[in-house]
Amino acid sequence: MKAIGLMSGTSLDGVDVALIETDGETIEAFGPGNDFSYDTVEGHLLREALASAVGIANRTDRSGVLSVAEIMVTQKHIACVKAFASIRGLNLSEIDVIGFHGQTVVHKPEKGLTIQIGDGRGMAESLGIPVVYDFRAADMEEGGQGAPFAPIYHRALALRAGLALPAVFVNIGGISNISYIPEGGEENMIAFDAGPGNCLIDDWTLRHTGKPYDEDARLALSGKVNGDVLQKLLHDPFLTQPVPKSLDRLSFKLKEVEGLSPADGAATLTAFTVACIAASRHFLPERAKTWIICGGGAHNPYIMAGLQRVLGAGDPAPLIQTADEAGFSTNFMEAQAFAFLAVRRLKGLPASFPKTTGASGPVVGGIIAEPGSAKG
């Protein structure tokens, strides 16, 4: 099947669109990918929506700014699909399904609550293509964390490429998450959120420079890590909680770095991201032979140098590569994953497993919206 995946992550930087061909178990071919940035007004609206959603207890609540944000998110994603097709010369009538993640505004696994805004049925009507959306709720109903959801796709990538196993995929978006791919069946995968990825660095950089992220780690590389502050950050109780576990984008705050210079704060927060990923090794049953780094953090030279240093020790040394270096896609892996998951949903195949989210069993996740279903 030809599937398009759409991902708007916790970094709040834009929408990723990617095409793959898959049967939901193996990957036949990788298609193109494009990213479309949120403009300043759209980004501000999403941050308002995040702030307004803090106290929500009902996952159907779309009061106030959330309703406006959901309309924007839906229209933005529809426009991105159309632009993607135009840029890449695709005929949308040839697309079998779209995997639409939506924009997470609340993720509180301890309360069994997750909210991704975005109207999947409206998208299906507008584009005339089946859309799978609201992937995470079914997992939570079975006692799972509702995240992360990419491990089954990472496993397909690892097997396709013949990676030395065990392999670990590290996705560094707003949050850093880990997929441990051992030899054996999919039921043996382990996954969890490791800690902040880019979210704190981005928020700090925006506050002090007006730029949405620390491009090429210039701000962090101009500063020095404050060891005392880093140790305080590393005492967060989340880091020692057993796995599987997951985070909300707002789970960590900037309070510990208040008072540091812009450069030292950026350096300390970047070192914190590296340290959280390094600490994730304590939850893995075997030493990984391969580490694949993807997401926006893979473009951060400070993060990559730190990971090479802390993960590359040992004899024999593990292979540490960006997704691009491994022949995958650093930028579009998550969007590809939701294309893959959409096909799995159509075929009734599980998206999550007890050791990846803590659900009681394998869970088939996502709601299918067929064009015309809203009218029927």
Side-chain angles (χ1 to χ4, degrees):
M1 304 182 82
K2 289 185 177 180
I4 286 176
L6 305 175
M7 185 64 197
S8 177
T10 49
S11 291
L12 305 179
D13 52 359
V15 179
D16 293 334
V17 185
L19 172 69
I20 63 170
E21 295 183 35
T22 178
D23 61 1
E25 296 186 78
T26 59
I27 304 155
E28 178 66 24
F30 299 109
N34 282 90
D35 62 90
F36 301 89
S37 297
Y38 285 123
D39 63 29
T40 302
V41 173
E42 291 165 340
H44 181 70
L45 177 58
L46 286 179
R47 289 177 183 276
E48 278 191 87
L50 280 173
S52 72
V54 170
I56 284 180
N58 184 340
R59 69 183 314 270
T60 64
D61 188 342
R62 296 294 187 272
S63 57
V65 72
L66 275 181
S67 176
V68 178
E70 182 160 64
I71 293 169
M72 182 278 288
V73 166
T74 306
Q75 292 177 342
K76 177 76 171 184
H77 280 71
I78 291 170
C80 289
V81 172
K82 291 179 178 178
F84 176 70
S86 177
I87 292 166
R88 298 298 183 174
L90 299 174
N91 185 341
L92 287 178
S93 66
E94 298 177 359
I95 302 302
D96 295 297
V97 67
I98 293 174
F100 176 31
H101 176 268
Q103 180 66 57
T104 298
V105 293
V106 173
H107 187 72
K108 297 178 179 178
E110 73 282 0
K111 296 183 178 180
L113 178 65
T114 189
I115 301 173
Q116 287 74 45
I117 57 173
D119 180 2
R121 297 193 182 279
M123 178 179 289
E125 290 296 327
S126 176
L127 296 174
I129 302 169
V131 173
V132 180
Y133 68 105
D134 199 12
F135 285 90
R136 302 186 185 276
D139 181 81
M140 282 197 163
E141 289 171 3
E142 296 299 324
Q145 294 276 318
F149 263 39
I152 190 62
Y153 181 62
H154 294 156
R155 181 175 183 271
L157 291 176
L159 295 179
R160 187 179 195 270
L163 295 183
L165 303 178
V168 175
F169 285 73
V170 184
N171 178 62
I172 310 175
I175 301 297
S176 293
N177 51 63
I178 302 292
S179 297
Y180 173 80
I181 313 299
E183 295 180 343
E186 55 196 23
E187 70 279 0
N188 295 318
M189 298 184 301
I190 296 172
F192 54 94
D193 285 349
N198 301 313
C199 62
L200 295 180
I201 304 167
D202 291 350
D203 289 350
W204 181 260
T205 302
L206 181 64
R207 177 190 296 184
H208 290 282
T209 71
K211 297 179 180 179
Y213 66 98
D214 187 10
E215 185 174 4
D216 295 326
R218 291 170 188 164
L219 185 61
L221 288 169
S222 69
K224 293 183 178 180
V225 175
N226 185 302
D228 291 338
V229 172
L230 179 59
Q231 287 305 309
K232 289 179 182 178
L233 289 167
L234 288 170
H235 278 93
D236 190 284
F238 175 83
L239 301 179
T240 54
Q241 287 177 14
V243 301
K245 56 185 176 178
S246 63
L247 285 167
D248 182 81
R249 190 191 188 281
L250 301 178
S251 296
F252 285 82
K253 309 293 185 184
L254 292 172
K255 62 180 181 179
E256 297 293 353
V257 292
E258 302 288 1
L260 297 184
S261 70
D264 289 355
T268 303
L269 291 170
T270 308
F272 181 42
T273 290
V274 172
C276 289
I277 295 168
S280 71
R281 292 174 297 176
H282 300 303
F283 298 106
L284 307 180
E286 291 183 52
R287 188 167 178 265
K289 296 178 181 177
T290 310
W291 290 80
I292 304 296
I293 315 300
C294 57
H299 298 298
N300 184 309
Y302 196 130
I303 289 176
M304 287 305 300
L307 292 178
Q308 288 283 356
R309 184 177 64 255
V310 298
L311 300 177
D315 185 20
L319 177 64
I320 303 168
Q321 294 181 303
T322 65
D324 286 341
E325 291 168 342
F328 307 139
S329 174
T330 295
N331 290 341
F332 300 112
M333 190 177 290
E334 277 202 295
Q336 291 172 349
F338 280 93
F340 186 75
L341 290 171
V343 175
R344 289 183 69 84
R345 176 63 185 89
L346 294 183
K347 298 198 171 188
L349 298 170
S352 57
F353 304 84
K355 290 185 179 180
T356 63
T357 65
S360 58
V363 178
V364 178
I367 296 172
I368 302 171
E370 296 280 356
S373 61
K375 298 175 184 176

